[in-house]
Amino acid sequence: MDNNKENAYDSSSIQVLEGLEAVRKRPGMYIGTTDVKGLHHLVWEIVDNSIDEALAGFCKNIEVVINKDNSITVKDDGRGIPTDIHPKTKISTVETVYTVLHAGGKFGGGGYKVSGGLHGVGASVVNALSKWVEVKVYKNEKIYYVRFENGGHTVEPLHVIGDCSAERTGTTVTFKPDPEIFDTDIYDYNTLMVRIRELAFLNKGLSITLRDDRDLEDTTGETFLYEGGISEYVKFINKEKTPVHEEIIHLEGEEDGVYFEVAMQYNTSYNDNIYSFVNNINTHDGGTHEEGVRRALTRVINSYARKNNFLKEKDEPLTGDDVKEGLTMIISCKHPNPQFEGQTKGRLGNSEVRKLADNVFSQGFERFLLENPDSARAIINKSLLACRARNAAKKAREITRKSDLATTNFFGKLSDCKSKDPKVSEIFIVEGDSAGGSAKKGRDSMTQAILPLRGKILNVEKARLDRALSNEEIRTIITAFGTGIGEEFDLSKLRYDKIIIMTDADVDGSHIRVLLLTLFYRFFKPIVEAGHVYAAQPPLFRIMHGKTRKYVLNEEELDDYLKSLPENVRSRAEIARMKGLGEMDAEELNETTMDIEKRVLRKITVNDCVSADAIFEKLMGDEVEPRRRFIEENAGYVQNLDI
Ligand code: 1YM
């Protein structure tokens, strides 16, 4: 009898280790990547378990600590992972959760859970990819402890290490990612902070603290706790903006265990910030919850506008685009059985949610408009202006289409590449005519097109599409891209794989670069999202010795290079600071900045739309001083511009 038990234990423990070994062999299958993103992913797997416990109503406080050795501690005050012996594995449930792949889901117990992750499933993946893991469970007036090493081998099975009070319950997990698995082992405070703040906004009343013990001055950490939940998220996003109406509209409802809520406020800008979530996961491709709200928003605004004579009988209805101008909105749905669809699983598919979202939103919003006639008027007028601008832009586009090729000397400006294959083609947008001239001579004319900018481009943060279209430089860019703009934008028509901004490394250059990025971010966001936009990095120094010419990007590289030279060579090297692109001849420009083999490009990504938007606000808003300071501080490269 005993013997059999032992055999069963042995064979199941072998299976367990085989399971974890599979995770180590193909970590990408479980956490996506093993770069810095994957490293941070481990934290979310553990935090998700605490959040699940909070959603189940048992946990109020979560604490995340980056320890001195870049290990991570996550602590919660939930019920504590069960410590009893699991009937199937014959080991403690907590050890099972941490060593059996997919255990969390199976052992989750009766009833459904509204779960963001896979409820406990991630714990074993984190264990598999860690150098060591320690779990402490506070439960039944006892402190239990278990330790794993080298990818999930139990080195200390669960045992009691002390007593605690009856009130004290919870789980504390510390793990150290395995440096053999990950490209980097250094945690980024800001990355953790941004997501933790978001989780706190999305789960009202839940307190999450983040502390960095690598930083000697950080003794208390930052605590994120929002009693107002997503209303406070909207307020946060609109912080630097001018609201169109005072109150933040917050609506919620529940049906058959599906919980839905939305918070919104219009501001005077021309762009929208609409973010939707399901079980705390960002649904960047929308889905039924978003569709329900958008449909209801358009319908309710149109019906209010008609009833109250903002729209006359002959007027066309406002479109979805009109009613979302200047709208900041957070949509959050908690669903026991979400169906995520699409290639990146970023879309909610459950059809019943469309109706719930529509009902909750239309009833609540209609009531808001009736009870707040001043706010209602301001909102309707904002949409009406957007509608007029859209119609003006349509006319402007038609004129642009007819005239551009012939009258504005478009082909005189663009030196196009010979290839018509977008996959190999790239376009350099260059500051000024003289740099444009060198670039034209230094390019590979087969694949590289050059577009020199002569005038300043318009600051589109402060302009609607119709005004943007009146700017000649912007029209030229649109024509060159081939995608169209606004309602008719079509990414598949993009004529170049890479759009490379090539500006000087000075304040003027930074300014032009930011104006261009603003243009792309506002009107060509899918191009940025698809990773087509780059910043060229012209060198800052040229070092010559003997027949050797060496270019370096910054002072740090200059120091390193000089140190690498023998003393007698170093003393004779006559170092030149490169003043600007225009100063380089064609050959130099090609060698340092354009040649596909030698150049260094920086990819521009839309990493964190919320903070990117805040940066643009700072850069492009009405206040001059913060903008000037930011541009000067970042005059080097777009490095710190997290877009
Ligand atoms: C710092 C990480 O894992 N907290 C946590 C996890 C669980 C529970 C409580 C829990 C769940 C249940 C019952 C239940 C988990 N339990 C399991 C499993 N924090 C952290 N806090 N009692 C406690 O789901 O019924 C998986 S996760 F499977 F064992 F129940």
Side-chain angles (χ1 to χ4, degrees), residues 46-47 49-50 53 74-76 78-82 93-94 97-98 103-104 107-109 113 119-120 139 171-173:
I46 301 299
V47 168
N49 291 339
S50 299
E53 187 67 355
V74 183
K75 178 176 167 184
D76 70 45
R79 287 168 295 177
I81 306 178
T93 302
V94 42
V97 168
Y98 271 80
F107 300 111
K113 275 181 202 67
H119 191 66
K139 212 179 170 79
T171 308
T172 303
V173 174

Side-chain angles (χ1 to χ4, degrees), residues 125-152:
V125 171
V126 172
N127 199 11
L129 302 177
S130 290
K131 190 80 195 136
W132 53 264
V133 176
E134 282 178 356
V135 183
K136 277 185 202 156
V137 175
Y138 298 76
K139 212 179 170 79
N140 319 320
E141 298 182 38
K142 288 191 177 67
I143 308 168
Y144 300 83
Y145 175 90
V146 55
R147 182 178 165 94
F148 312 92
E149 282 180 12
N150 294 321

Side-chain angles (χ1 to χ4, degrees), residues 327-370:
L327 177 63
T328 297
M329 179 184 259
I330 302 288
I331 299 165
S332 173
C333 176
K334 304 253 163 79
H335 200 294
N337 184 25
Q339 305 297 314
F340 292 104
E341 295 178 342
Q343 215 157 44
T344 53
K345 302 274 172 230
R347 221 191 89 81
L348 181 69
N350 305 61
S351 62
E352 79 281 5
V353 180
R354 195 182 287 113
K355 200 145 170 272
L356 173 65
D358 187 320
N359 283 343
V360 171
F361 184 83
S362 55
Q363 283 166 25
F365 187 50
E366 221 164 63
R367 189 175 161 163
F368 172 86
L369 294 178
L370 287 177

Side-chain angles (χ1 to χ4, degrees), residues 134 232 270 312 449:
E134 282 178 356
E232 290 198 57
Y270 303 132
K312 308 280 176 315

